[in-house]
Amino acid sequence: MAPLGIGLIGTGYMGKCHALAWNAVASVFGDVERPRLAVLAESSQDLADIRARELGFERATGDWRALVNDPAVDVVSITTPNAFHPAMAIAAIEAGKHVWCEKPMATTLADAERMLEASRRAGTVAVLGYNYIQNPIMRLIRSLLTEGRIGPVNHIRIEMDEDFMADPDALFFWKSEASSGHGALDDFGVHALSLLTILVGGVRRVCGQMARPYVDRPVEDGTRRAVETFDIATMLVELETGASGVIALNRSAWGRKGRIAVQIFGSRGTLVFDQERMNEVQLFVADGDPRTRGFRTILSGPDHPPYDRFLPAAGHSLGFGDLKIIECRELIGRIRGEDAMVIDFESGIRIERCVDAMARSARSGTWVEVAT
Amino acid sequence: MAPLGIGLIGTGYMGKCHALAWNAVASVFGDVERPRLAVLAESSQDLADIRARELGFERATGDWRALVNDPAVDVVSITTPNAFHPAMAIAAIEAGKHVWCEKPMATTLADAERMLEASRRAGTVAVLGYNYIQNPIMRLIRSLLTEGRIGPVNHIRIEMDEDFMADPDALFFWKSEASSGHGALDDFGVHALSLLTILVGGVRRVCGQMARPYVDRPVEDGTRRAVETFDIATMLVELETGASGVIALNRSAWGRKGRIAVQIFGSRGTLVFDQERMNEVQLFVADGDPRTRGFRTILSGPDHPPYDRFLPAAGHSLGFGDLKIIECRELIGRIRGEDAMVIDFESGIRIERCVDAMARSARSGTWVEVAT
Amino acid sequence: MAPLGIGLIGTGYMGKCHALAWNAVASVFGDVERPRLAVLAESSQDLADIRARELGFERATGDWRALVNDPAVDVVSITTPNAFHPAMAIAAIEAGKHVWCEKPMATTLADAERMLEASRRAGTVAVLGYNYIQNPIMRLIRSLLTEGRIGPVNHIRIEMDEDFMADPDALFFWKSEASSGHGALDDFGVHALSLLTILVGGVRRVCGQMARPYVDRPVEDGTRRAVETFDIATMLVELETGASGVIALNRSAWGRKGRIAVQIFGSRGTLVFDQERMNEVQLFVADGDPRTRGFRTILSGPDHPPYDRFLPAAGHSLGFGDLKIIECRELIGRIRGEDAMVIDFESGIRIERCVDAMARSARSGTWVEVAT
Amino acid sequence: MAPLGIGLIGTGYMGKCHALAWNAVASVFGDVERPRLAVLAESSQDLADIRARELGFERATGDWRALVNDPAVDVVSITTPNAFHPAMAIAAIEAGKHVWCEKPMATTLADAERMLEASRRAGTVAVLGYNYIQNPIMRLIRSLLTEGRIGPVNHIRIEMDEDFMADPDALFFWKSEASSGHGALDDFGVHALSLLTILVGGVRRVCGQMARPYVDRPVEDGTRRAVETFDIATMLVELETGASGVIALNRSAWGRKGRIAVQIFGSRGTLVFDQERMNEVQLFVADGDPRTRGFRTILSGPDHPPYDRFLPAAGHSLGFGDLKIIECRELIGRIRGEDAMVIDFESGIRIERCVDAMARSARSGTWVEVAT
């Protein structure tokens, strides 16, 4: 197979992550051709030139439409603000390109549905950037669940907490505007839903509450402006399997930095994970000598592929960026027709529909079915 | 003040805890008279005799009504099965005795309300055995909240998990019968509510879900019987302060043994506690050098009264039984007219009403107001 | 068997612990007669009277020799400052009493040897107050080692750290005087050695270093006085089994409150314990699915006798005081001729000899054999 | 500055790490030119060709001497087995190249001294691959120490434990041969010494013990062969500052995977780090409200440069590979004449001399001065 030609739109933090992943994927895995970093697009030609040099791209452009239609480009990485995703993704798809689009799909469910339709029509690969599912420890959890190590799952709890909205004295900015979405729910809760999806499947119905820790925030002119989004969201859920669960999201949780705490309860054991210690998982299984049962802390290692592609010894820690490299390898695998662990637009739309149901439920104060 | 005369009804595990507390309270605190362990009642005279000898009581009886009316008895410890609480507590109260009754108050809200009425009429002290609130670390949390150390509280999460109902192959027994109550909610969830009460106050409304991890259980004759109670309960709550919260209870949570995990989020910080490590609390405060902010793990010590009455050095660990000794001292304080940290029948009824609202909400699938 | 008559000398913190243990032992265990709390001795009759009332003793005396010779006394609890141990213990032993003496035995090895001789001559029970060995979790560790769960032990590390000498601005007091002993080594290091003794046996030879974090300390008159003891001690050891090890003691370790961190390495696994979380032990065993190996955290529970005598459910936490109650029960067992887990004067002298060898090694800078 | 031309010798795990770092450094930091990956050398031309393609190098050779003398090469990465380091490093240095050589310097102290001499003569940059010092959290620790946040350091403990030699049934292989070195001490203990060096400075004298957990190991032919190296080493140390310390190394520590546990005690506080949780450090400072003192767990974040070059939010975790990218940036900084955090041959030789003193001490059973 000829090297894939890569086009990258957007070079913020996530764009850099994509560039690093495209750069590293062949070296790390050794079983794919080094991609050609063909074209990079930014908002201006000048900025694009600078970034292309830094990130190792051959050419640069100030016009993302040119990139999308460039014959040297096989895959388009889209890492721009969420509002731009639909237009860029659909254009790329319609130009016959594969797409690697950052999450969430779009800022409205309608836009996301349009992206899905475009993807279905084109038949190219369209994948979303849900990197947390790529953690080798998360794959271990998934394998253990599949193998029945803790028995059928009957209950799940997911908490996702950070503190970037925790300071009540921080100035009002766009994340408190209704136009940015619901708040914690879609801003970062979708990550929690991506884990739910790959670990225990879909959500049948939800009953939620969204809350504002601070009703208003200071504005630069000395006045205060009402907060329109919800920094806290808590959801009761019923899964398609019949299991019950609860999801709690808080982007104003002082001291939490990247917490995604997952607790999965089965008839034979329990699994516990926290993203802040992403190289560990805790497993309790109700077997063996009763005197020595306990939660065991398993450290990520070569027994948990593809950790072995990065490091030969356990306990030496993968990082956030490494997950993006794995995601990149999975995307290439999907393009090559291999069995790959990705959240494509088909799976991604279910997350978006779940978010939509949760927001409606919080407004109505009742249980709401998730559309299928 | 003359020594208090103590009557103890019931000598199971909790009866033993009460006896040990009455035995130890004067030695530990040094500021109260040693109580006289006057009368012990059990279901038969023979058993009562044996237990009185073991537990150090002067006299024994097979008739609890005799104990309740014994002039040597000033305080009646009630540690019998929950269904007996109302009759015993009301009889003791009406005989002019102080009452130390184990939680929950009763098996029905109506019975609990009758107990409260009796208590109001009599004017003697009537206190419930919510021992977790007596932890010096819990009092530290309460003080920090009162002092505003983490600012106004805007969100709270409480999880309470054990695994005594986790084994799907365990035989059906009375805890799966509807007559025993709702399940996790009232069986042990009331402890979680007792902490909520002293830390952040009352609950205004609730929306809950109760679930059965196992629909039926084996019976000794080889057949199976449908489970009638709910081993899992999850509740969205809105506090009287306006703060939001979530309570998750699971008595089939493999590997969890005595978990009561509390997370309290304020505008300036966060507090985290877990009963399985009852001598620790974690505190995050958003101040000082940003490079060195983090959750600090505070070990229980003499700076957290009344830890100092037990041990002169921090980090040497109090145990569950010690909490009961503190509770005993608080009860004596209340009797002496001191300011005391107890959940009396007035506070206790609010917990019972909250449980009632939660159960109704889970049935109706809607938000329910808690009666006041 | 008639109830044991108890005499208690000393009513500081440890005296209170003994009194509480004697008070509680029959209630907790249910298989021994309630001891008679016969006589209490303090430095004056007045103080003795007050304490006897608080602690529940029948009689009080200002003369410990009277107590030691009192026919109502079968067992003498000695909880006075270390320098008094030899005279009191020997007098009690020679009066035909059993002795429960707090650790360490004495302030000089010669005195300790004299205590041992007296004990050998008399044949009564003479036991030391090494309470940490009584932790049910510690007994679990011992059982697992005996059963070979982690294979033969080849290496051990013990750290013991507190911070009561950590403040360089604290005034000079007796613990910095040479007359108080070597410092960390004998002041609290003996606890570490008591654990070593019951877990992996005796020490063959040692090579140590003792250090002063602060060379002098302020005196009240504004001058400074040279520190004569060593707040830090580190020891390389070779056990009688041939295993190697290291012991590190620090009583000026800021933030450590009651740390006794034990790591035991065997050919099949590892055991890790920390007294600051005294209800937990971590066990790694190199077996089973390689993907899910890890240190498991075992919570203390009824499967670890005699935890079950205190609490019916795991994870509810014993405390420091509970260990003293267990120690009391073991002492009674030893008196009754049962197999008991105690450090008697025969075992205790080995700890004292080890301390002596360590101190000599630190002075000479060479390896020193422990006397046997 | 023109792009640096890179030559890489060796493409095992560490060679891959170097290649990834050279590939990523410009993208991550944005303030250096993308290096030219010029030449890669492997043991054969064929293997070199394959690896060059995978790792993105322009040219390949089976002759490392050709690489070392190639005018397109400015910096030589040496990642071959330790025995090859001296010849390659000296040749590269003498060809006027900068050198990035993996640790340890050599298999004998004499070779290491020769490397240092070559480096001194040439004046090019010669740096060792001690990546653990590059952790942003480690730099935070260093800054806090420099700022006096925990006061002058008076004691330090470092443990380094893995379990790759823990299985007694594993076949004898080269790591048990004396020709491979002393064992745990130089095989991986040098990492511990690198941390010691940057955090608290040099070692004045040492007293050590080395031990064999298993005296022999099975050979494929069914016989057994005596183990010649020491999988366990424990060292008492006295630092140049006068502080005392202990270093404990164990490469047969079941369950430990990448543990480097550092405890640093000062007159005002304590710092605790464990490489297995490399994105965290614990800090205790003896100030503020005594009720709320405790070890705080600080999560790595943008406040700890250069974490911010990788991720914009704290708590999202760097990995082992990221440390190598930082090391690469520091090396470039040193070449550019900036102030850089590296262990060059001058610092590296002190580690080698310390190892040598430790090995001699373990043999003699006495304290040994470290050569300066």
Side-chain angles (χ1 to χ4, degrees):
Chain A
M1 196 171 121
L4 287 169
I6 310 304
L8 170 65
I9 316 180
T11 60
Y13 147 61
M14 258 302 153
K16 192 161 136 180
C17 283
H18 277 234
L20 284 163
W22 286 119
N23 249 302
V25 67
S27 301
V28 168
F29 285 91
D31 61 355
V32 294
E33 285 293 315
R34 282 185 81 79
R36 259 185 72 201
L37 277 54
V39 193
L40 178 152
E42 253 299 347
S43 48
S44 73
Q45 183 70 45
D46 283 356
L47 181 56
D49 285 338
I50 293 170
R51 291 286 180 259
R53 190 162 176 175
E54 274 174 27
L55 302 177
F57 277 75
E58 297 170 8
R59 284 181 287 130
T61 172
D63 173 14
W64 66 263
R65 292 189 182 275
L67 179 149
V68 154
N69 291 295
D70 194 305
V73 170
D74 300 303
V75 188
V76 180
S77 274
I78 302 172
T79 69
T80 49
N82 302 343
F84 294 95
H85 292 179
M88 291 172 175
I90 292 171
I93 287 166
E94 293 182 345
K97 312 299 188 189
H98 305 296
V99 165
W100 185 11
C101 181
E102 273 309 304
K103 47 63 43 186
M105 292 178 79
T107 51
T108 69
L109 180 57
D111 275 348
E113 299 278 5
R114 286 198 305 119
M115 291 165 74
L116 174 63
E117 280 164 40
S119 160
R120 281 180 176 167
R121 275 194 305 269
T124 57
V125 170
V127 158
L128 294 159
Y130 283 107
N131 48 300
Y132 294 119
I133 69 169
Q134 303 295 347
N135 190 340
I137 276 288
M138 199 53 68
R139 294 193 186 184
L140 170 64
I141 296 173
R142 196 170 184 242
S143 297
L144 295 174
L145 291 172
T146 306
E147 296 163 18
R149 189 75 168 267
I150 64 164
V153 172
N154 53 60
H155 193 58
I156 185 164
R157 293 188 197 138
I158 303 188
E159 296 167 271
M160 184 161 182
D161 301 315
E162 301 198 12
D163 65 2
F164 57 89
M165 301 299 278
D167 187 350
D169 301 327
L171 290 181
F172 188 103
F173 77 122
W174 63 267
K175 275 188 188 279
S176 291
E177 280 185 55
S179 63
S180 72
H182 308 292
L185 179 56
D186 46 342
D187 183 25
F188 73 4
V190 290
H191 276 301
L193 293 174
S194 74
L195 297 180
L196 197 76
T197 300
I198 65 148
L199 297 178
V200 290
V203 176
R204 186 187 292 155
R205 57 195 202 105
V206 301
C207 181
Q209 178 187 34
M210 300 204 296
R212 293 187 180 103
Y214 315 120
V215 294
D216 55 22
R217 288 186 171 279
V219 184
E220 274 188 348
D221 65 11
T223 62
R224 299 187 71 83
R225 179 167 165 192
V227 169
E228 298 160 7
T229 53
F230 299 90
D231 297 329
I232 296 173
T234 43
M235 302 287 151
L236 308 179
V237 300
E238 188 183 298
L239 302 184
E240 286 171 3
T241 62
S244 64
V246 60
I247 299 173
L249 312 166
N250 188 354
R251 60 182 190 179
S252 62
W254 271 123
R256 301 306 192 188
K257 302 300 181 183
R259 186 167 190 250
I260 311 179
V262 179
Q263 298 177 72
I264 307 171
F265 301 98
S267 67
R268 284 290 153 217
T270 300
L271 279 157
V272 177
F273 170 82
D274 182 354
Q275 178 67 28
E276 283 184 359
R277 288 178 172 167
M278 60 169 272
N279 288 281
E280 301 178 13
V281 62
Q282 290 186 74
L283 168 66
F284 180 95
V285 180
D287 61 10
D289 183 348
R291 297 174 307 162
T292 55
R293 289 182 185 171
F295 277 93
R296 66 183 72 186
T297 301
I298 303 163
L299 295 180
S300 197
D303 289 319
H304 315 126
Y307 178 103
D308 57 306
R309 300 311 308 164
F310 293 83
L311 292 165
H316 283 61
S317 300
L318 298 188
F320 181 95
D322 297 327
L323 305 189
K324 215 69 196 174
I325 299 172
I326 300 174
E327 189 176 89
C328 185
R329 176 63 187 79
E330 293 298 305
L331 165 63
I332 295 172
R334 172 62 69 95
I335 291 170
R336 300 209 297 201
E338 299 166 5
D339 192 28
M341 160 79 92
V342 289
I343 292 196
D344 57 18
F345 283 14
E346 295 285 349
S347 306
I349 200 73
R350 307 209 51 185
I351 293 174
E352 307 287 336
R353 287 171 188 160
C354 193
V355 163
D356 183 67
M358 286 170 165
R360 285 186 288 123
S361 166
R363 275 194 297 271
S364 66
T366 57
W367 285 85
V368 169
E369 307 280 321
V370 178
T372 52
Chain B
M1 196 169 120
L4 287 170
I6 310 305
L8 170 66
I9 315 181
T11 60
Y13 147 60
M14 258 301 154
K16 192 161 136 178
C17 283
H18 278 234
L20 283 163
W22 286 119
N23 250 302
V25 66
S27 302
V28 168
F29 284 91
D31 61 355
V32 294
E33 285 292 315
R34 280 184 82 78
R36 257 184 73 201
L37 277 55
V39 193
L40 177 152
E42 252 299 345
S43 49
S44 73
Q45 183 70 45
D46 282 356
L47 182 55
D49 286 338
I50 292 170
R51 290 286 181 259
R53 189 161 177 175
E54 276 173 26
L55 302 178
F57 278 75
E58 295 170 10
R59 283 181 287 131
T61 174
D63 174 12
W64 67 264
R65 292 190 183 274
L67 179 151
V68 154
N69 291 295
D70 194 306
V73 170
D74 299 305
V75 188
V76 180
S77 274
I78 302 172
T79 69
T80 50
N82 302 343
F84 295 96
H85 292 179
M88 291 173 175
I90 292 171
I93 288 166
E94 292 183 344
K97 312 299 189 189
H98 305 298
V99 165
W100 185 13
C101 180
E102 273 308 306
K103 47 62 47 185
M105 292 178 78
T107 51
T108 68
L109 180 56
D111 276 347
E113 299 279 5
R114 285 199 305 120
M115 291 165 75
L116 173 63
E117 280 164 39
S119 159
R120 282 180 176 169
R121 275 194 306 269
T124 57
V125 170
V127 158
L128 294 160
Y130 283 108
N131 48 299
Y132 293 120
I133 67 169
Q134 303 296 346
N135 189 341
I137 276 288
M138 199 51 68
R139 294 193 187 184
L140 171 64
I141 296 174
R142 196 170 184 241
S143 297
L144 296 174
L145 291 173
T146 306
E147 296 162 19
R149 189 76 169 267
I150 64 163
V153 171
N154 54 58
H155 193 56
I156 185 163
R157 293 187 197 139
I158 303 188
E159 295 167 272
M160 183 161 184
D161 301 315
E162 301 199 12
D163 65 2
F164 56 90
M165 300 299 278
D167 188 350
D169 300 328
L171 290 181
F172 188 103
F173 76 122
W174 62 266
K175 274 188 189 279
S176 291
E177 280 186 56
S179 62
S180 72
H182 309 292
L185 178 56
D186 46 343
D187 183 25
F188 73 4
V190 290
H191 276 301
L193 293 175
S194 73
L195 296 180
L196 196 76
T197 300
I198 64 149
L199 296 177
V200 291
V203 175
R204 186 187 292 154
R205 57 195 204 105
V206 300
C207 181
Q209 179 186 35
M210 300 204 296
R212 293 187 181 101
Y214 315 121
V215 293
D216 55 22
R217 286 187 171 278
V219 183
E220 273 188 349
D221 66 9
T223 63
R224 300 186 71 84
R225 180 169 165 190
V227 170
E228 298 160 5
T229 52
F230 299 91
D231 297 328
I232 297 172
T234 43
M235 302 287 151
L236 308 180
V237 300
E238 187 184 298
L239 301 185
E240 286 171 3
T241 61
S244 63
V246 60
I247 299 173
L249 312 167
N250 188 353
R251 60 182 190 179
S252 62
W254 271 122
R256 302 304 193 191
K257 302 301 181 182
R259 188 167 190 250
I260 311 179
V262 180
Q263 298 177 73
I264 307 171
F265 301 98
S267 66
R268 284 289 154 217
T270 300
L271 279 156
V272 177
F273 170 82
D274 182 352
Q275 178 67 27
E276 283 184 359
R277 287 178 172 168
M278 59 168 272
N279 288 281
E280 302 177 12
V281 62
Q282 291 186 75
L283 168 66
F284 180 95
V285 180
D287 61 10
D289 183 347
R291 296 174 308 162
T292 55
R293 289 182 185 172
F295 277 93
R296 66 183 72 185
T297 301
I298 302 163
L299 295 180
S300 197
D303 290 319
H304 314 124
Y307 179 103
D308 57 307
R309 301 308 311 162
F310 293 84
L311 291 165
H316 282 61
S317 301
L318 298 188
F320 181 95
D322 297 326
L323 305 189
K324 215 68 196 173
I325 298 173
I326 301 173
E327 188 176 89
C328 186
R329 176 63 186 80
E330 292 297 305
L331 166 63
I332 295 172
R334 172 62 70 95
I335 290 171
R336 299 209 296 202
E338 299 166 5
D339 193 28
M341 161 79 92
V342 289
I343 292 196
D344 57 18
F345 283 14
E346 295 285 348
S347 306
I349 201 72
R350 307 207 53 183
I351 293 173
E352 306 288 336
R353 287 172 189 159
C354 192
V355 164
D356 183 68
M358 285 169 166
R360 285 186 286 123
S361 166
R363 274 194 297 271
S364 66
T366 57
W367 285 85
V368 170
E369 306 280 322
V370 178
T372 50
Chain C
M1 196 170 122
L4 287 169
I6 310 305
L8 171 65
I9 315 181
T11 60
Y13 147 61
M14 258 301 154
K16 191 160 137 178
C17 281
H18 278 235
L20 284 163
W22 285 119
N23 250 302
V25 66
S27 301
V28 168
F29 285 91
D31 61 355
V32 294
E33 286 292 315
R34 282 184 81 78
R36 257 185 73 201
L37 278 54
V39 193
L40 178 152
E42 252 300 346
S43 49
S44 74
Q45 183 69 46
D46 282 357
L47 181 56
D49 286 338
I50 293 169
R51 290 286 181 259
R53 189 162 177 175
E54 275 173 27
L55 303 177
F57 278 75
E58 296 170 8
R59 283 181 288 131
T61 173
D63 175 11
W64 67 263
R65 291 188 185 275
L67 178 150
V68 153
N69 290 294
D70 194 306
V73 169
D74 299 304
V75 188
V76 180
S77 275
I78 301 172
T79 69
T80 50
N82 302 343
F84 295 96
H85 292 180
M88 290 173 175
I90 292 171
I93 287 167
E94 292 183 345
K97 312 299 189 189
H98 305 298
V99 165
W100 185 12
C101 181
E102 273 309 305
K103 46 63 46 186
M105 291 179 79
T107 52
T108 70
L109 180 56
D111 276 347
E113 299 279 4
R114 287 198 305 120
M115 291 165 75
L116 174 63
E117 281 164 39
S119 160
R120 282 180 177 169
R121 274 194 307 270
T124 56
V125 170
V127 159
L128 294 160
Y130 284 108
N131 48 298
Y132 294 120
I133 68 169
Q134 303 296 346
N135 189 341
I137 276 288
M138 199 52 69
R139 294 192 184 183
L140 171 64
I141 295 174
R142 195 171 185 241
S143 298
L144 296 173
L145 291 173
T146 306
E147 296 162 18
R149 189 77 169 265
I150 65 163
V153 171
N154 54 58
H155 193 57
I156 185 164
R157 293 188 196 138
I158 303 188
E159 296 167 271
M160 184 161 182
D161 301 315
E162 301 199 14
D163 66 1
F164 57 90
M165 300 299 279
D167 188 351
D169 300 327
L171 290 181
F172 188 102
F173 77 122
W174 63 267
K175 274 187 189 281
S176 291
E177 281 186 55
S179 62
S180 73
H182 308 293
L185 179 55
D186 46 342
D187 183 25
F188 73 4
V190 290
H191 276 301
L193 293 175
S194 73
L195 296 180
L196 197 76
T197 300
I198 65 149
L199 296 178
V200 291
V203 175
R204 185 187 292 154
R205 56 195 204 105
V206 301
C207 181
Q209 179 186 35
M210 300 203 296
R212 293 188 181 101
Y214 315 121
V215 293
D216 55 21
R217 285 187 173 277
V219 183
E220 274 189 348
D221 65 9
T223 64
R224 299 187 71 83
R225 179 168 166 190
V227 170
E228 299 160 5
T229 52
F230 298 91
D231 297 329
I232 296 173
T234 44
M235 302 287 151
L236 307 180
V237 300
E238 187 183 297
L239 302 184
E240 287 172 1
T241 61
S244 64
V246 60
I247 299 174
L249 312 167
N250 189 353
R251 60 181 190 179
S252 61
W254 272 123
R256 301 305 192 189
K257 302 300 180 182
R259 188 167 189 250
I260 311 179
V262 180
Q263 297 177 72
I264 307 171
F265 301 98
S267 66
R268 283 289 154 217
T270 300
L271 280 157
V272 178
F273 171 82
D274 181 353
Q275 179 67 31
E276 283 184 359
R277 288 179 172 167
M278 59 169 271
N279 288 282
E280 301 178 12
V281 61
Q282 290 187 74
L283 168 67
F284 180 95
V285 180
D287 61 9
D289 183 348
R291 296 174 308 162
T292 54
R293 289 182 186 172
F295 277 94
R296 66 184 73 186
T297 301
I298 302 163
L299 295 180
S300 197
D303 290 319
H304 315 123
Y307 179 102
D308 56 307
R309 302 309 310 163
F310 293 84
L311 292 165
H316 282 61
S317 300
L318 298 188
F320 181 96
D322 297 326
L323 304 188
K324 215 69 195 173
I325 299 172
I326 301 174
E327 188 177 88
C328 186
R329 176 65 187 77
E330 292 298 305
L331 166 63
I332 294 172
R334 172 62 70 95
I335 290 170
R336 300 208 297 201
E338 299 166 5
D339 193 29
M341 161 79 92
V342 289
I343 291 195
D344 56 19
F345 283 14
E346 295 286 347
S347 307
I349 200 73
R350 307 207 55 183
I351 293 173
E352 305 289 336
R353 288 172 188 159
C354 192
V355 163
D356 183 67
M358 285 169 166
R360 285 186 287 125
S361 167
R363 274 194 297 272
S364 67
T366 57
W367 284 85
V368 169
E369 306 280 322
V370 177
T372 52
Chain D
M1 196 171 120
L4 287 169
I6 310 305
L8 170 66
I9 315 181
T11 60
Y13 147 61
M14 258 301 155
K16 192 161 135 178
C17 283
H18 278 235
L20 283 164
W22 286 120
N23 249 303
V25 66
S27 303
V28 168
F29 284 92
D31 61 355
V32 294
E33 285 293 315
R34 282 184 82 79
R36 255 185 75 201
L37 277 55
V39 192
L40 177 152
E42 251 300 346
S43 48
S44 74
Q45 183 70 45
D46 282 357
L47 182 55
D49 286 339
I50 293 170
R51 291 285 181 260
R53 190 163 176 174
E54 275 174 25
L55 303 177
F57 278 75
E58 296 171 6
R59 282 180 290 130
T61 173
D63 173 12
W64 66 263
R65 292 189 183 274
L67 178 149
V68 154
N69 291 294
D70 195 305
V73 170
D74 300 303
V75 188
V76 181
S77 275
I78 302 173
T79 69
T80 50
N82 302 343
F84 295 95
H85 292 179
M88 291 172 175
I90 291 170
I93 287 166
E94 293 182 344
K97 312 298 189 190
H98 306 296
V99 165
W100 184 13
C101 181
E102 272 310 304
K103 45 64 47 185
M105 291 178 79
T107 51
T108 68
L109 180 56
D111 276 348
E113 299 279 4
R114 287 198 305 119
M115 291 165 75
L116 174 62
E117 281 164 39
S119 160
R120 282 180 176 167
R121 276 194 306 270
T124 56
V125 170
V127 157
L128 294 160
Y130 283 108
N131 48 299
Y132 293 120
I133 68 169
Q134 304 295 346
N135 190 340
I137 276 288
M138 199 52 68
R139 294 192 184 184
L140 170 64
I141 296 174
R142 196 170 184 242
S143 297
L144 295 174
L145 291 172
T146 306
E147 296 163 19
R149 189 75 170 266
I150 66 163
V153 172
N154 53 58
H155 193 57
I156 185 163
R157 292 188 197 138
I158 303 189
E159 296 167 272
M160 185 160 182
D161 302 314
E162 301 198 14
D163 66 1
F164 57 90
M165 300 300 278
D167 188 351
D169 300 328
L171 290 180
F172 188 103
F173 77 121
W174 62 267
K175 275 188 189 278
S176 291
E177 279 186 57
S179 62
S180 73
H182 308 292
L185 179 56
D186 45 342
D187 183 24
F188 73 4
V190 291
H191 277 300
L193 293 175
S194 74
L195 296 181
L196 197 75
T197 300
I198 64 148
L199 296 179
V200 291
V203 175
R204 185 188 292 154
R205 57 194 204 107
V206 300
C207 181
Q209 179 187 34
M210 300 204 296
R212 292 187 181 102
Y214 315 121
V215 293
D216 56 21
R217 287 186 173 278
V219 184
E220 273 190 347
D221 65 10
T223 62
R224 299 187 71 83
R225 180 169 166 190
V227 170
E228 298 161 5
T229 52
F230 299 90
D231 297 328
I232 296 174
T234 44
M235 302 286 152
L236 307 180
V237 300
E238 188 183 297
L239 302 185
E240 287 172 2
T241 62
S244 63
V246 59
I247 299 174
L249 312 167
N250 189 355
R251 59 182 190 179
S252 63
W254 271 124
R256 302 304 193 190
K257 302 301 180 183
R259 188 168 189 249
I260 311 178
V262 180
Q263 298 177 73
I264 307 171
F265 301 98
S267 67
R268 284 290 153 217
T270 300
L271 280 157
V272 177
F273 170 81
D274 181 354
Q275 178 68 28
E276 282 184 358
R277 288 178 172 168
M278 59 169 271
N279 287 282
E280 301 178 13
V281 61
Q282 291 186 73
L283 168 66
F284 180 95
V285 180
D287 62 9
D289 183 349
R291 297 174 308 162
T292 54
R293 290 182 184 172
F295 277 94
R296 66 183 73 183
T297 301
I298 302 163
L299 295 180
S300 197
D303 290 318
H304 314 125
Y307 179 103
D308 57 306
R309 301 309 310 162
F310 293 84
L311 292 165
H316 283 61
S317 301
L318 298 188
F320 181 96
D322 296 326
L323 305 188
K324 216 69 196 172
I325 299 172
I326 301 174
E327 189 176 89
C328 186
R329 176 63 186 80
E330 293 297 305
L331 166 63
I332 295 172
R334 172 63 70 94
I335 291 170
R336 299 208 297 201
E338 300 166 3
D339 192 30
M341 160 79 92
V342 289
I343 292 197
D344 58 19
F345 283 15
E346 295 284 349
S347 306
I349 201 72
R350 308 208 52 185
I351 293 174
E352 306 288 336
R353 288 171 188 159
C354 192
V355 164
D356 183 66
M358 285 169 167
R360 285 185 288 124
S361 166
R363 274 194 298 271
S364 66
T366 57
W367 285 85
V368 170
E369 306 281 321
V370 177
T372 52

